[in-house]
Amino acid sequence: MISAARLPLQYLAAFRATARSENVRAAAEQLHLTHSAVSQQIKSLEAQLGYPLFERQGRGIRLNAAGRALHNALERAWTELELGLRAASAASGSAMQSLKLTCTPSFAQRWLIPRLGRWQAEHPHIALKLFTLQRVIDLEQEGFHLALRQGVGPWPGLINEVMMESRQIVVAAPALAQRLMGASPDGLAATLADEPLLGDAEQWTQWFALAGLARRISPSASFNDGGLLVQAAEAGMGIALARELLAADALLEGRLVRLPGPVLEGAVQRRYHIVYPPALKDEPALRTLCSWLHEEMANSARQLRGMEV
């Protein structure tokens, strides 16, 4: 029998929300996750337990006997946990806390927002106020606690924690990828050169050089926002050379397919960072958020590497 300590909290949150409504879509809306993300978390929970929790009936689901037993116990535990959190907050003398953070629209849309449901489930006493901005701001002057930035750094006067380097990979919508997969790995680069390419011309030129082709590339479309580039690839506009992290969920959910070939990696400008004022380095809520961001980023990296096996 699996220990409760080994069950990820987000799986239990997804199960609880789904069990309450017996509807995956309603649970996804409540948790601010995608339908497929909630469905996958429930499947992962059932796999770890070793038995199903729902009866699948066409497109509908119903709790089975095991599911009802777990749901009843989980509701009691959830109530105790919420009471404990309130008691801890009262004992510490703190009320509801909030953190004001900023990041680029692409990072928010493609990576952060799909995970905020887990944050809310795990840390209901810390509210996040998220602002998406393309420009780099003075955090202290504009009243922000931290920023999630992508680039070279350092940013003077701020503590910087590196989260992840996001490689550049080639992705395409499934239908387009399937048509191209017939080419051998050696011949794929030459095939791609005749396809509509999306992204930065210089980066594509570097990619073709690594593939052994000296080509000057003129992409059919380029974007000033990495999220828009990934969205265009999902829509079937062409083949994108995109940041792996921004394409992560689309790859995991099958909305995009990674094509074989070189990877652009190691560039300092593609690193993601957490930055914040030194005066806040020991602030409990900020430390909690930083730890959660590092854990989520590490989880994304593991999932992406798992797809390469």
Side-chain angles (χ1 to χ4, degrees):
M1 184 179 70
I2 189 169
S3 167
R6 295 178 58 190
L7 293 175
L9 183 60
Q10 64 266 28
Y11 292 178
L12 295 176
F15 166 73
R16 178 173 177 257
T18 305
R20 282 183 153 191
S21 61
E22 294 190 330
N23 186 293
V24 176
R25 192 168 301 280
E29 291 176 357
Q30 177 188 337
L31 296 173
H32 304 289
L33 297 172
T34 64
H35 178 283
S36 57
V38 172
S39 180
Q40 184 57 52
Q41 288 180 16
I42 292 172
K43 289 179 182 177
S44 297
L45 175 61
E46 291 176 326
Q48 288 198 29
L49 293 173
Y51 47 82
L53 299 169
F54 294 92
E55 296 175 0
R56 274 74 178 181
Q57 301 175 335
R59 293 187 177 183
I61 59 171
R62 293 183 61 185
L63 284 168
N64 60 21
R68 284 192 296 273
L70 179 58
H71 183 227
N72 291 337
L74 189 57
E75 286 294 338
R76 293 193 298 270
W78 219 269
T79 299
E80 289 295 323
L81 179 59
E82 290 181 348
L83 290 172
L85 288 170
R86 291 173 189 168
S89 178
S92 69
S94 62
M96 171 69 77
Q97 303 174 73
S98 65
L99 292 172
K100 187 177 179 181
L101 67 150
T102 179
C103 64
T104 61
S106 61
F107 186 84
Q109 175 194 14
R110 303 297 311 193
W111 189 85
L112 182 58
I113 290 176
R115 288 158 178 80
L116 288 185
R118 289 200 287 271
W119 168 264
Q120 289 179 323
E122 295 170 25
H123 306 285
H125 59 297
I126 306 176
L128 300 183
K129 298 179 179 179
L130 176 62
F131 294 77
T132 58
L133 300 168
Q134 290 284 14
R135 61 188 177 91
V136 175
I137 63 171
D138 186 316
L139 295 183
E140 293 181 286
Q141 189 175 55
E142 300 198 32
F144 283 85
H145 295 96
L146 75 159
L148 307 175
R149 292 178 178 170
Q150 188 247 333
V152 177
W155 292 274
L158 298 174
I159 293 177
N160 170 59
E161 298 182 14
V162 177
M163 286 197 294
M164 183 183 181
E165 290 186 10
S166 185
R167 311 181 302 173
Q168 304 283 102
I169 60 173
V170 177
V171 297
L176 179 54
Q178 185 176 14
R179 178 169 63 80
L180 296 170
M181 285 300 191
S184 68
D186 293 337
L188 181 61
T191 301
L192 292 188
D194 297 324
E195 295 289 333
L197 302 178
L198 309 175
D200 182 79
E202 183 177 344
Q203 290 176 358
W204 268 116
T205 299
Q206 294 174 14
W207 187 90
F208 278 103
L210 288 174
L213 291 177
R215 298 286 181 94
R216 292 299 301 176
I217 302 300
S218 297
S220 59
S222 59
F223 305 84
N224 68 343
D225 181 279
L228 294 178
L229 170 63
V230 175
Q231 186 175 344
E234 285 187 58
M237 281 184 60
I239 302 158
L241 183 56
R243 292 203 294 277
E244 184 179 38
L245 187 66
L246 298 185
D249 289 350
L251 290 167
L252 293 169
E253 295 169 9
R255 290 179 281 117
L256 283 176
V257 175
R258 178 181 168 185
L259 297 177
V263 173
L264 298 185
E265 57 186 337
V268 176
Q269 64 268 26
R270 288 193 283 272
R271 287 178 181 167
Y272 288 92
H273 310 254
I274 306 170
V275 297
Y276 51 87
L280 300 179
K281 65 182 180 68
D282 296 321
E283 205 283 323
L286 184 137
R287 292 281 10 118
T288 298
L289 177 58
C290 289
S291 296
W292 181 83
L293 287 167
H294 284 299
E295 290 170 5
E296 287 291 329
M297 192 67 75
N299 185 50
S300 288
R302 284 192 297 270
Q303 290 177 318
L304 288 167
R305 299 302 169 260
M307 294 183 70
E308 298 177 0
V309 176

